[in-house]
Amino acid sequence: MAAAWPELEAAARGRRRELALPGAAVAERVAAGGGRLPAALLALPLLQSLELSGCAALRELGPGLAAALPALHTLVLRGNALGPAGLGAGLGGPLPALRLLDLSGNGLEALPAALGGAAEPAGAPEGAPAFPQLRSLNLSGNRLRELGPGLARSAPQLQALLLSGNRLRALPGGLLPPAAGPGGPFPLLSRLEAADNELAELGADIAALPALKSLDVANNRLQELPAALADCPRLKEANFRGNQLKDKRLEKMVNGCQTKAILEYLRAGGRGKGKAEGAREEARKKKREKQQQKDGGDREQDELEEASKLLVKVLHVSENAAPLVVKASPGVKDVRPFIVCCVLKGVNLQPGNALKRFLSTQTKLHEDICEKRTAATIATHDLQSIKGPLTYDVQPPDELKIVPLGRKEIKAKDLLRQLQLEAEEQRKQKKRQNVSGLHKYLQLLDGKDNYPCLVDAEGIVISFPPITNSEKTKIRKDTRDLFLEVTSDTSLQICKDVMDTLILKIAELNRFTMESKEDLGSDNESDALCGPVNLNPGQSIQPTNFPLVVEQVRVVDTDGNLKVLYPSKTDLTTVSSLLTVIR
């Protein structure tokens, strides 16, 4: 008898567009079904987002997935046991709407046909890409040894390709087809990561990626870097650390993360080059000059980008008279183990719709980089309302109490029950196909005996991730200093990447607010919640040249041993092309 799947039945009744199945909770049923996804999943044609991660029993998708789910734009299948054969049947046809595909942490030794493997994907017309809208492809943590040129045809709009933790020996290797269309292969690819592989060769054809901005090939076996890297017109971030470079001067630049200096050094031909190499460099120089004359606007654009960089200053713990500390209890390891925090001072939310823009940005980050809170959750607090030190802890659902945003004090189990009832009522009243707001994140706590929480020195719960913050620390129009928190049950690096992006977005919003010179307008939502403002009506905040200040926050264990310090020297590098960090 086939196992029951109440989650799929509920999704079908509610005509839902999003579905996340917790891997550990469904592993037994997946195993009972032969290690493949249930056939009932194919009866959800409206589905736009599907995640099933951390399920060691999942070995294959089963046939017909692509044909049955044509609206799918997000497919997350990380940490399973999928191989190329197991993917082949499910991805055996085009997915025209797919934008994000995460296959990290599986058993892939080769790409399936749909991603440019040996065979042409079934159902795709001659020359038509299988994934015409795919923007992000994560293949990290597999066992790939090589990539074929078919990927460029299958996903021509790819912007981010993540290949770290595989067994690749050359890059780009076979990734770039010998002949491509007018725009070249991967005309939009801006982020390429291949750290922790077995790379012994970084080919000169890397310069054929015209939009490449970020390149990570750390911890490989490279002995030299090609001079052609200097011909990548947009390259701003490059990580070559952990290799075996013969040129010690170049290695010193690499260890110092001096991307600009590295490219200049390579452009000049390095040290100790012979006449033949000098002649080749001269030829490359003439080619560059010709290209610059043809595309004269590129350099001006780069200069404008450099001039428009935002500024943030890092205040180190040693320079801070009263640094904030977060103590993590042992219990969080089994619930939501990863947390990264910092303090950001100098934001301006007073004028016009600045607060609305701030809240809207946080919502968008939850949808995008946080993958609908399944990868990470952001919480922002008014620093002035927090009493440190803080404790990151777990509590049983019937003991954890919080005053959620816009509500009265309530136990966590009652809050979730209340939210579930509200979600169903809202769906019925408005005849929606899926729930909205924080209601759609309730399933992330299914099966948990304890819930995570952040508690201040007075014993008040100020955060209940991934659900809500406390009313006590709510951001208001007169908030100037923020306490930022990112938590995850996936990885510490995800927390750091999300925090990097959050700081960048806040810096962008802050500059927009100062440059637009908005008056202190009426923001209905915030005015109703914030009370009087300590400025005269109509008075505007004058722009300043002072950067935002990011204060380091330590996360320690119960014995005081350091677990995380953010931002460290290596943090904020992912956004360095847009953000200048003063350390």
Side-chain angles (χ1 to χ4, degrees):
M1 182 177 177
W5 286 83
E7 304 94 335
L8 302 185
E9 294 171 6
R13 287 195 306 271
R15 297 171 62 81
R16 294 185 185 173
R17 299 176 184 272
E18 301 164 2
L19 180 63
L21 299 172
V26 303
E28 187 174 333
R29 285 176 283 167
V30 170
R36 63 171 57 176
L37 294 175
L41 186 64
L42 306 184
L44 301 174
L46 297 178
L47 207 60
Q48 296 180 353
S49 176
L50 172 63
E51 176 178 6
L52 202 171
S53 297
C55 181
L58 183 63
R59 299 191 304 273
E60 57 180 292
L61 300 184
L65 181 75
L69 305 178
L72 206 61
H73 63 62
T74 299
L75 181 57
V76 179
L77 298 167
R78 58 172 172 258
N80 299 304
L82 295 166
L87 282 170
L91 298 180
L95 278 167
L98 195 67
R99 297 176 66 86
L100 183 149
L101 178 58
D102 187 346
L103 299 173
S104 59
N106 282 280
L108 291 172
E109 295 181 352
L111 292 182
L115 285 171
E120 186 73 14
E126 181 69 21
F131 306 104
Q133 298 298 322
L134 191 63
R135 299 294 192 269
S136 176
L137 176 59
N138 191 345
L139 297 169
S140 302
N142 285 287
R143 298 194 289 269
L144 298 171
R145 293 189 180 277
E146 59 181 355
L147 300 171
L151 182 58
R153 183 174 63 254
S154 297
Q157 302 298 308
L158 204 59
Q159 297 177 3
L161 180 56
L162 312 183
L163 301 166
S164 295
N166 280 282
R167 300 174 182 177
L168 299 173
R169 297 174 180 175
L171 194 75
L175 185 63
L176 302 180
F186 300 117
L188 302 179
L189 188 66
S190 61
R191 179 183 176 194
L192 179 58
E193 295 184 0
D196 300 294
N197 276 273
E198 300 173 5
L199 295 178
E201 177 188 351
L202 183 61
D205 48 347
I206 192 77
L209 298 173
L212 188 64
K213 289 186 177 181
S214 176
L215 175 66
D216 187 352
V217 289
N219 303 321
N220 279 287
R221 302 173 182 176
L222 298 174
Q223 294 187 350
E224 56 185 26
L225 301 179
L229 274 172
D231 297 331
C232 295
R234 300 293 181 190
L235 188 60
K236 298 291 179 64
E237 304 166 20
N239 185 0
F240 304 111
R241 285 171 291 178
N243 283 284
Q244 304 162 11
L245 299 177
K246 294 179 179 178
D247 189 329
K248 298 308 175 184
R249 182 179 176 188
L250 180 59
E251 186 176 48
K252 186 176 180 180
M253 296 180 191
V254 163
N255 292 334
C257 303
Q258 303 172 29
T259 302
K260 187 175 181 180
I262 292 169
L263 297 182
E264 289 294 339
Y265 184 70
L266 293 174
R267 183 174 288 117
R271 183 177 58 181
K273 304 294 182 182
K275 292 183 178 180
E277 178 60 28
R280 286 194 292 269
E281 172 56 28
E282 183 63 27
R284 282 195 293 267
K285 181 180 178 181
K286 290 181 178 179
K287 182 179 177 181
R288 284 197 303 269
E289 290 174 350
K290 185 177 180 181
Q291 185 66 32
Q292 287 168 357
Q293 291 174 359
K294 181 179 178 182
D295 302 322
D298 285 354
R299 178 172 292 181
E300 292 181 11
Q301 181 65 30
D302 287 344
E303 291 174 352
L304 285 172
E305 289 176 3
E306 189 70 24
S308 64
K309 275 190 178 182
L310 301 150
L311 289 175
V312 295
K313 175 175 172 51
V314 174
L315 184 67
H316 296 265
V317 169
S318 59
E319 303 168 334
N320 194 344
L324 200 56
V325 177
V326 177
K327 183 179 292 186
S329 72
V332 301
K333 181 180 179 182
D334 300 321
V335 180
R336 198 173 181 85
F338 306 107
I339 183 170
V340 167
C341 304
C342 71
V343 168
L344 187 63
K345 291 188 173 182
V347 300
N348 181 10
L349 302 174
Q350 290 272 15
N353 292 320
L355 179 57
K356 279 187 176 180
R357 287 193 295 270
F358 175 85
L359 298 175
S360 176
T361 295
Q362 186 172 329
T363 299
K364 290 177 181 177
L365 290 176
H366 271 142
E367 289 293 307
D368 298 333
I369 191 173
C370 295
E371 299 177 16
K372 303 184 188 304
R373 301 200 194 192
T374 59
T377 302
I378 298 166
T380 55
H381 307 266
D382 187 330
L383 181 66
Q384 302 305 315
S385 303
I386 291 179
K387 303 293 183 183
L390 304 176
T391 302
Y392 184 46
D393 202 359
V394 293
Q395 295 182 20
D398 57 349
E399 294 181 15
L400 195 162
K401 292 182 179 180
I402 188 171
V403 181
L405 292 169
R407 299 172 186 259
K408 296 181 180 180
E409 186 179 65
I410 189 172
K411 290 182 179 179
K413 70 171 186 177
D414 296 330
L415 173 62
L416 261 65
R417 186 183 303 115
Q418 188 179 103
L419 291 171
Q420 287 165 348
L421 292 173
E422 289 176 5
E424 291 303 318
E425 184 64 26
Q426 183 184 82
R427 189 184 292 118
K428 290 177 184 178
Q429 287 182 355
K430 300 187 178 181
K431 298 181 180 179
R432 290 183 174 174
Q433 295 174 341
N434 57 315
V435 294
S436 62
L438 60 85
H439 302 104
K440 56 189 172 185
Y441 308 120
L442 302 182
Q443 62 184 355
L444 298 178
L445 291 173
D446 286 350
K448 303 289 187 185
D449 295 326
N450 291 296
Y451 290 166
C453 57
L454 192 62
V455 184
D456 71 3
E458 298 176 339
I460 297 174
V461 175
I462 64 171
S463 178
F464 171 25
I467 303 301
T468 186
N469 297 359
S470 168
E471 182 73 21
K472 176 188 176 184
T473 60
K474 181 176 182 175
I475 304 294
R476 306 176 187 276
K477 287 180 75 74
D478 58 354
T479 298
R480 297 287 294 174
D481 302 330
L482 307 176
F483 175 72
L484 307 179
E485 156 209 344
V486 177
T487 60
S488 173
D489 63 0
T490 304
S491 79
L492 179 64
Q493 190 58 49
I494 286 176
C495 289
K496 290 190 169 192
D497 291 346
V498 170
M499 185 68 85
D500 287 356
T501 305
L502 176 61
I503 290 173
L504 170 64
K505 294 301 181 183
I506 293 175
E508 289 176 344
L509 288 172
N510 213 50
R511 182 171 66 179
F512 177 83
T513 297
M514 292 190 293
E515 290 180 350
S516 62
K517 300 181 180 180
E518 292 177 295
D519 289 336
L520 288 175
S522 176
D523 181 331
N524 293 333
E525 177 186 359
S526 52
D527 286 348
L529 295 171
C530 299
V533 176
N534 296 325
L535 289 172
N536 297 325
Q539 182 180 351
S540 61
I541 304 294
Q542 294 302 316
T544 72
N545 292 323
F546 293 104
L548 294 173
V549 175
V550 185
E551 293 186 2
Q552 289 181 323
V553 170
R554 292 181 299 145
V555 177
V556 300
D557 62 19
T558 51
D559 295 326
N561 299 312
L562 182 66
K563 292 171 66 69
V564 187
L565 174 68
Y566 184 91
S568 68
K569 290 182 179 179
T570 58
D571 294 323
L572 293 170
T573 55
T574 59
V575 293
S576 61
S577 62
L578 299 171
L579 195 67
T580 297
V581 182
I582 306 172
R583 301 184 187 270

